[in-house]
Amino acid sequence: PRGDHKAYMQLCLEQAQRSPPKPTNYRVGAVLVDLASNTILATGYTLELPGNTHAEQCCFMKLAEKHGVSEENLGGVLPSELALYTTVEPCSKRLSGNLPCVERVLRLAGSIRTVYIGAMEPETFVAENTGKKMLEDAGICIVHVEGLEKEILEVATAGHINA
Ligand SMILES: Nc1nc(=O)c(N)c(NC[C@H](O)[C@H](O)[C@H](O)COP(=O)(O)O)[nH]1
Ligand SMILES: [Zn+2]
């Protein structure tokens, strides 16, 4: 049914479980939903695509490929009412130096209206994830979907030493 946030978050968790465990990141799953039709435009999980990719990034890269545009220009071809679901909040800083997902989401601020988050990012790699405020300042709503946090964090950190 419409707005069944927990079902979409469960789907994100299933995506995250496909991610190969690594000690230097989290296993995250993401789903991009078109609200007008309540249909899934893309799914993604950490490292799904080559290049140390993040789950949210994979959703955008796959959509860009489908539309024959670069990820930077994806905003021009997307419907205007989308929701991004992600098990862990979009990163605001990446130790690899790659573009953080908050920046990737901000590029799509004209389409992504709400980001549903299953868990806030732990402080293992980045002391304070400033993403929530950056997204809200751009007019994007952040909604914490309750109930799967424990499982999400267990999956996310499965590759960590003495996780
Ligand atoms: N939202 C989110 N989706 C992901 O798919 C993922 N792996 C992270 N992880 C955040 C974490 O802060 C970074 O993984 C580390 O900062 C290392 O950075 P790289 O991943 O190597 O670029 N966060
Ligand atoms: Zn990220």
Side-chain angles (χ1 to χ4, degrees), residues 54 56 90-91 94 99-102:
H54 279 192
E56 308 92 311
C91 60
R94 296 176 60 165
L99 187 70
C101 295
V102 163

Side-chain angles (χ1 to χ4, degrees), residues 135-149:
L135 294 172
E136 287 174 336
D137 288 352
I140 296 174
C141 299
I142 307 296
V143 175
H144 185 193
V145 177
E146 308 282 346
L148 292 170
E149 191 142 20

